[in-house]
Amino acid sequence: DPQNRRYLHPFISCTACGPRMTVVRCLPYDRSNTTMDRFALCDQCADEYANPIDRRCHCQTICCPDCGPVLELRDSAGRRQDGDPIATAAEVISAGGIVAIKGIGGFHLACDAGLPRAVIQLRERKGRYAKPLAVMFPDLESLKEYAAVGEAEEALLTSKVRPIVLLSKLPKRELAAAVSPGLDKLGAMLPYSPLHHLLVRLIACPLVMTSGNISAQPIIAGNEEAIEKLGSIADVFLLHNREIVHRTDDSVASIQLGSPRLIRRARGFAPAAIVLPFQAQGTAIGAGGQLKSCFCIIRGNKAVLSQHLGDLFTVEAVDSFKSTLRNYFELFCVKPDVIAHDLHPEYASAAAVQEVVESMTARQDIFANLIRHGRSEHRQLPYSVVGVQHHHAHIAAVMAEHGLRGPVIGVAFDGSGYGLDGTLWGGEFISSTYQDFVRLAHLSAVPLAGGERAIRQTWRIALAYLREGSDDYLIEHFRKRLQGIAGAKALSLVERQLERGLNCPLSSGAGRLFDAAASVLDVCHETHYEGQAAIELETVARKDCTPPEQIASYAFSYGDRQSDEAAKVIRSDELIRALYRDYLQGVPPSLMARKFHKTVSDLIVKTCCQLSQNLAVTDICLSGGVFQNSILLEETVSALQQHGLRVFLPQLASVNDGGLALGQAVIALARSGLIAPQGEGI
């Protein structure tokens, strides 16, 4: 309505919309406790705010052009630019430029997703050479020209959360190839703030809308920080002067088995509580992991997961993690009785949480003593620390979300997690309750030559798998291929490492199995982002048109156990050798990739059925990043259900390491006796 005083106002909101988590400093959620407190209400807004029958009554972010935040445009050096900020930003994007946009929870870097040179330029400037980029479409109709949108996808895209949703590309219209190179999926979202709507109405084309940060660092939230760190990437900055307290990235989800599954739990989901099937008698904090970090606070029957905080490999990322935890301490008045952490001795999340807990509880105690006694003597508030095995936490998170008492059979398939024997686990079948778990079966372990480097150069893992057998022809043939892929010098070094066991940690991770398969099939020999090899292998598999009933899996077997108590070993090296034999015989890559997925599904189902029969347990919990693979997940769940087993998956928490903290906190409460008994297994 052009006659309305808020016409084209980029910060319009009412009690049903607008930012909350990103602007609130402390509870209760009143305007005085938000970053809107610096903007004095004009008379008209004040009347609306106080009127009980107005839809802006007690809307804490209420404002108008006369009394609210304002936009401004700056160049890459931080100099203010004249003219309409939104119109000028739109012109820069239309001309192939890059704009840094301050949104609700932080900055985005935006460019025209249909201009190859613009997308390539953004990748080069940001140093993000392969990882897919999210795209914002002006509306649902334009999105449907590029991707398949079913009823479930549409409901998720248009929900109040407005996450990034993974969709299958359509061939009739294509974006720049560099948006998601080599993949058949597209991460798409719709405008979710007034500023987005105003921008897309002027451009009317899909926009790359990727996180505004430097690689491996947290999303940027402040204006000056953005100009300092993103000045070499963005041509102009579209800024506003509303402060962001809690930096929050976009949530990412996909539709699997007809329901939403979270890949990244952030804006719109955090800090909404997950209701638990028990009443905690104390407060617990789960520290989470190293990748896709997220902490969890449990009090009563509510679990509060933080927003996605990224990977903790830089000082900046760890500082952001600690700052967010401090904010949650203030926001929720946390006084922990127990804190839980992963067993890995080098995970930064464990030390970060303990440091924050110690400092915050000391502050709380000093304040309490000042009130009670008028003095500042320090008494440390008591809390215990519990180490939790990585894959046990994965399964416990699923149990808690679905109200399962246990025991359950848990299948935790991911890249790696620190095992009780000091090796890297990740292809695990366990019997789990909240207090404890038993390792029942696992994929066979292979040495990772060079440790983390092997994860980036998947040919190292493929070579290690092939060397586990005695087929010299396969090994020699693969070595000849590697001469051109890796070079003679690197190959020789890796072979010496494998022979001598130097810097070759053992891994049974299912993610590493997918890495090896991608390499032997010539799909991916070197990765630039986590999970790249598996994602590209899944893309190849989806190209196969063979009817599912005609796809035969490769043979696999179980290794010998040293004792009846030892976990059953699944000989996954046999699968890689069978795969390579097919490769040498010229079998189409898509069919081989499809058979590989079928085999992994079959070995999960066969093993679960055997364990179910032995243990008389029919509840199966699946978790871990490998189950983000739609082909694997759908085939596995369908087959397990056909065998009469009940299957449970994460839904409110992320299936990857973003859900670890929930499981850690639940386990810590159970082991500390802080869960009221409700039956066997708790």
Side-chain angles (χ1 to χ4, degrees):
D1 178 8
Q3 304 305 313
N4 191 292
R5 65 193 182 90
R6 292 192 178 91
Y7 180 59
L8 303 185
H9 180 48
F11 304 99
I12 191 170
S13 67
C14 70
T15 51
C17 67
R20 283 172 175 74
M21 179 60 185
T22 60
V23 297
V24 65
R25 292 194 181 97
C26 62
L27 294 178
Y29 177 61
D30 292 326
R31 189 180 181 90
S32 59
N33 293 331
T34 73
T35 58
M36 292 297 293
D37 64 345
R38 61 173 290 193
F39 303 104
L41 293 175
C42 66
D43 290 343
Q44 286 179 283
C45 284
D47 288 343
E48 292 172 330
Y49 184 83
N51 186 353
I53 63 172
D54 194 289
R55 66 193 179 105
R56 292 189 171 86
C57 177
H58 280 259
C59 167
Q60 310 307 338
T61 52
I62 186 176
C63 63
C64 72
D66 294 331
C67 64
V70 294
L71 291 176
E72 66 173 335
L73 194 78
R74 299 195 195 183
D75 65 15
S76 58
R79 296 182 292 260
R80 285 185 173 84
Q81 304 297 296
D82 296 330
D84 183 333
I86 298 177
T88 306
E91 291 172 2
V92 170
I93 291 174
S94 298
I98 299 168
V99 177
I101 303 171
K102 186 178 183 181
I104 287 177
F107 275 81
H108 285 108
L109 291 167
C111 70
D112 188 336
L115 288 179
R117 61 183 175 85
V119 180
I120 292 172
Q121 181 174 248
L122 173 57
R123 285 195 176 279
E124 290 176 345
R125 290 183 183 180
K126 191 179 178 182
R128 181 172 173 171
Y129 298 106
K131 192 174 183 179
L133 301 169
V135 179
M136 178 177 286
F137 288 81
D139 49 48
L140 195 59
E141 289 67 32
S142 62
L143 170 54
K144 289 180 177 179
E145 296 179 12
Y146 293 87
V149 181
E151 290 184 7
E153 287 83 1
E154 181 171 336
L156 187 55
L157 284 162
T158 58
S159 68
K160 65 179 181 180
V161 175
R162 294 285 172 115
I164 298 168
V165 180
L166 299 188
L167 304 170
S168 297
K169 293 179 182 177
L170 293 177
K172 59 183 179 181
R173 290 197 66 177
E174 294 184 1
L175 300 171
V179 168
S180 52
L183 305 182
D184 61 355
K185 294 280 188 178
L186 175 67
M189 60 177 163
L190 297 176
Y192 59 82
S193 78
L195 180 56
H196 294 147
H197 284 283
L198 294 173
L199 183 62
V200 299
R201 69 188 283 272
L202 296 178
I203 300 177
C205 70
L207 300 178
V208 166
M209 198 71 78
T210 189
S211 301
N213 66 332
I214 302 298
S215 181
Q217 294 187 15
I219 187 173
I220 293 170
N223 292 354
E224 299 307 318
E225 181 189 9
I227 291 169
E228 176 188 349
K229 294 184 176 180
L230 303 179
S232 60
I233 301 175
D235 297 305
V236 296
F237 291 80
L238 183 57
L239 308 173
H240 61 72
N241 60 341
R242 183 177 64 203
E243 181 189 354
I244 296 171
V245 179
H246 302 274
R247 61 185 84 199
T248 306
D249 222 325
D250 294 314
S251 293
V252 182
S254 65
I255 298 296
Q256 294 178 319
L257 300 169
S259 300
R261 308 287 172 196
L262 285 175
I263 297 170
R264 187 166 75 194
R265 191 178 194 272
R267 176 188 52 76
F269 288 103
I274 297 173
V275 179
L276 301 173
F278 53 77
Q279 189 78 19
Q281 306 302 304
T283 300
I285 298 177
Q290 185 81 351
L291 299 174
K292 300 173 176 61
S293 65
C294 169
F295 58 80
C296 178
I297 300 168
I298 293 180
R299 184 166 54 199
N301 69 334
K302 303 288 179 60
V304 175
L305 280 164
S306 76
Q307 66 271 35
H308 164 87
L309 297 170
D311 301 339
L312 303 182
F313 291 121
T314 64
V315 172
E316 293 83 359
V318 175
D319 286 345
S320 175
F321 180 94
K322 291 189 287 190
S323 174
T324 304
L325 181 55
R326 291 190 191 98
N327 287 338
Y328 272 66
F329 256 77
E330 300 281 2
L331 202 59
F332 296 104
C333 301
V334 177
K335 293 182 179 179
D337 298 289
V338 58
I339 61 178
H341 63 85
D342 194 274
L343 293 179
H344 198 295
E346 297 178 3
Y347 275 12
S349 56
V353 167
Q354 290 189 58
E355 177 186 326
V356 171
V357 169
E358 288 175 9
S359 64
M360 296 301 289
T361 52
R363 283 174 53 190
Q364 292 167 346
D365 195 49
I366 289 171
F367 182 69
N369 279 322
L370 281 169
I371 293 175
R372 292 193 198 97
H373 310 296
R375 63 180 186 272
S376 60
E377 70 178 40
H378 177 162
R379 178 179 59 83
Q380 180 76 37
L381 290 178
Y383 62 87
S384 57
V385 180
V386 176
V388 177
Q389 201 280 324
H390 191 93
H391 303 96
H392 186 202
H394 267 306
I395 301 307
V398 184
M399 294 173 63
E401 187 176 328
H402 291 281
L404 303 177
R405 297 181 176 183
V408 303
I409 294 171
V411 184
F413 271 29
D414 60 8
S416 64
Y418 197 76
L420 298 182
D421 57 3
T423 66
L424 300 174
W425 293 3
E428 308 306 308
F429 296 80
I430 67 174
S431 171
S432 175
T433 62
Y434 288 131
Q435 291 99 331
D436 210 351
F437 77 99
V438 177
R439 193 187 197 195
L440 303 172
H442 60 87
L443 300 180
S444 56
V446 293
L448 303 181
E452 287 289 329
R453 180 168 290 186
I455 299 173
R456 295 191 298 271
Q457 296 178 327
T458 58
W459 59 266
R460 294 172 179 246
I461 306 173
L463 180 62
Y465 267 109
L466 292 174
R467 286 171 58 95
E468 291 295 305
S470 57
D471 196 328
D472 294 336
Y473 173 73
L474 293 182
I475 299 171
E476 188 58 34
H477 190 279
F478 193 62
R479 288 184 72 258
K480 290 178 180 177
R481 279 179 60 196
L482 292 181
Q483 295 282 348
I485 295 168
K489 185 176 180 180
L491 175 59
S492 176
L493 174 62
V494 168
E495 289 192 307
R496 287 201 302 272
Q497 284 183 290
L498 291 171
E499 288 168 2
R500 301 173 185 175
L502 299 175
N503 190 21
C504 290
L506 290 174
S507 170
S508 60
R512 306 291 77 84
L513 181 64
F514 277 78
D515 289 343
S519 180
V520 299
L521 295 187
D522 217 15
V523 172
C524 180
H525 299 293
E526 187 164 356
T527 64
H528 300 279
Y529 60 90
E530 189 200 8
Q532 180 180 351
I535 293 170
E536 293 183 356
L537 186 66
E538 182 184 2
T539 300
V540 172
R542 267 195 291 269
K543 295 177 181 178
D544 181 67
C545 300
T546 308
E549 63 275 8
Q550 296 180 18
I551 297 176
S553 61
Y554 293 106
F556 63 90
S557 65
Y558 296 97
D560 295 331
R561 294 187 291 184
Q562 295 179 346
S563 68
D564 291 338
E565 291 76 27
K568 180 182 292 188
V569 178
I570 304 167
R571 293 291 304 276
S572 47
D573 56 303
E574 294 178 353
L575 171 55
I576 297 301
R577 287 195 296 277
L579 199 62
Y580 197 44
R581 291 190 192 99
D582 265 8
Y583 176 88
L584 295 179
Q585 292 173 9
V587 175
S590 60
L591 178 56
M592 288 187 290
R594 192 72 184 80
K595 289 175 65 177
F596 171 81
H597 283 77
K598 178 71 163 56
T599 308
V600 176
S601 175
D602 284 353
L603 69 84
I604 293 173
V605 173
K606 181 179 179 180
T607 305
C608 283
C609 288
Q610 290 179 356
L611 296 175
S612 173
Q613 186 175 4
N614 294 342
L615 302 175
V617 172
T618 58
D619 288 347
I620 311 294
C621 293
L622 308 180
S623 190
V626 169
F627 286 112
Q628 293 171 165
N629 185 307
S630 294
I631 296 176
L632 177 66
L633 181 68
E634 291 168 6
E635 289 194 355
T636 301
V637 170
S638 175
L640 288 171
Q641 290 174 338
Q642 288 175 16
H643 283 85
L645 302 175
R646 295 202 308 166
V647 184
F648 299 91
L649 305 165
Q651 191 160 352
L652 299 177
S654 301
V655 68
N656 53 45
D657 283 7
L660 280 178
L662 172 60
Q664 291 171 346
V666 169
I667 292 168
L669 285 168
R671 290 182 180 171
S672 302
L674 296 175
I675 295 178
Q678 293 189 17
E680 185 180 355
I682 293 184

mmCIF file of all heavy atoms in Angstrom, residues 84 125 219 332 397 518 542 589 602:
data_model
loop_
_atom_site.group_PDB
_atom_site.id
_atom_site.type_symbol
_atom_site.label_atom_id
_atom_site.label_comp_id
_atom_site.label_asym_id
_atom_site.label_seq_id
_atom_site.Cartn_x
_atom_site.Cartn_y
_atom_site.Cartn_z
ATOM 1 N N ASP A 84 19.734 5.412 -3.291
ATOM 2 C CA ASP A 84 18.932 4.376 -2.642
ATOM 3 C C ASP A 84 19.791 3.132 -2.440
ATOM 4 O O ASP A 84 20.240 2.517 -3.417
ATOM 5 C CB ASP A 84 17.724 4.051 -3.531
ATOM 6 C CG ASP A 84 16.784 3.035 -2.900
ATOM 7 O OD1 ASP A 84 17.251 2.217 -2.087
ATOM 8 O OD2 ASP A 84 15.597 3.051 -3.241
ATOM 9 N N ARG A 125 37.314 -15.160 -5.012
ATOM 10 C CA ARG A 125 37.590 -14.167 -3.973
ATOM 11 C C ARG A 125 37.440 -14.763 -2.572
ATOM 12 O O ARG A 125 38.206 -14.438 -1.660
ATOM 13 C CB ARG A 125 36.646 -12.974 -4.121
ATOM 14 C CG ARG A 125 36.909 -12.102 -5.348
ATOM 15 C CD ARG A 125 35.959 -10.907 -5.351
ATOM 16 N NE ARG A 125 36.113 -10.081 -6.540
ATOM 17 C CZ ARG A 125 35.402 -8.975 -6.775
ATOM 18 N NH1 ARG A 125 34.497 -8.577 -5.901
ATOM 19 N NH2 ARG A 125 35.585 -8.280 -7.880
ATOM 20 N N ILE A 219 30.294 -16.886 10.714
ATOM 21 C CA ILE A 219 29.605 -15.865 9.948
ATOM 22 C C ILE A 219 29.789 -14.509 10.619
ATOM 23 O O ILE A 219 29.793 -14.399 11.846
ATOM 24 C CB ILE A 219 28.105 -16.221 9.808
ATOM 25 C CG1 ILE A 219 27.405 -15.250 8.850
ATOM 26 C CG2 ILE A 219 27.422 -16.285 11.152
ATOM 27 C CD1 ILE A 219 25.981 -15.652 8.535
ATOM 28 N N PHE A 332 19.522 -18.064 29.654
ATOM 29 C CA PHE A 332 18.746 -19.113 30.304
ATOM 30 C C PHE A 332 19.132 -19.337 31.771
ATOM 31 O O PHE A 332 18.665 -20.300 32.384
ATOM 32 C CB PHE A 332 18.895 -20.423 29.522
ATOM 33 C CG PHE A 332 18.337 -20.356 28.126
ATOM 34 C CD1 PHE A 332 19.180 -20.248 27.029
ATOM 35 C CD2 PHE A 332 16.974 -20.374 27.908
ATOM 36 C CE1 PHE A 332 18.675 -20.180 25.741
ATOM 37 C CE2 PHE A 332 16.451 -20.307 26.619
ATOM 38 C CZ PHE A 332 17.305 -20.207 25.536
ATOM 39 N N ALA A 397 20.930 -39.553 21.153
ATOM 40 C CA ALA A 397 20.166 -38.386 20.701
ATOM 41 C C ALA A 397 18.875 -38.818 20.013
ATOM 42 O O ALA A 397 17.810 -38.225 20.225
ATOM 43 C CB ALA A 397 21.018 -37.539 19.758
ATOM 44 N N ALA A 518 34.540 -43.785 -4.225
ATOM 45 C CA ALA A 518 34.570 -42.657 -5.166
ATOM 46 C C ALA A 518 35.891 -42.593 -5.909
ATOM 47 O O ALA A 518 35.940 -42.228 -7.092
ATOM 48 C CB ALA A 518 34.317 -41.352 -4.418
ATOM 49 N N ARG A 542 22.594 -41.877 -8.917
ATOM 50 C CA ARG A 542 21.232 -41.505 -9.308
ATOM 51 C C ARG A 542 21.044 -41.467 -10.819
ATOM 52 O O ARG A 542 19.913 -41.414 -11.310
ATOM 53 C CB ARG A 542 20.866 -40.148 -8.700
ATOM 54 C CG ARG A 542 20.145 -40.279 -7.362
ATOM 55 C CD ARG A 542 19.485 -38.976 -6.977
ATOM 56 N NE ARG A 542 20.466 -37.956 -6.658
ATOM 57 C CZ ARG A 542 20.940 -37.729 -5.445
ATOM 58 N NH1 ARG A 542 20.524 -38.455 -4.433
ATOM 59 N NH2 ARG A 542 21.823 -36.782 -5.230
ATOM 60 N N PRO A 589 29.831 -46.580 -14.779
ATOM 61 C CA PRO A 589 30.051 -46.016 -13.433
ATOM 62 C C PRO A 589 28.771 -45.844 -12.624
ATOM 63 O O PRO A 589 28.758 -46.099 -11.422
ATOM 64 C CB PRO A 589 30.694 -44.656 -13.730
ATOM 65 C CG PRO A 589 31.343 -44.829 -15.062
ATOM 66 C CD PRO A 589 30.458 -45.755 -15.825
ATOM 67 N N ASP A 602 22.439 -53.405 2.153
ATOM 68 C CA ASP A 602 22.244 -54.823 2.470
ATOM 69 C C ASP A 602 23.039 -55.253 3.700
ATOM 70 O O ASP A 602 22.549 -56.026 4.531
ATOM 71 C CB ASP A 602 22.640 -55.692 1.273
ATOM 72 C CG ASP A 602 21.596 -55.667 0.167
ATOM 73 O OD1 ASP A 602 20.518 -55.091 0.384
ATOM 74 O OD2 ASP A 602 21.868 -56.213 -0.924
#
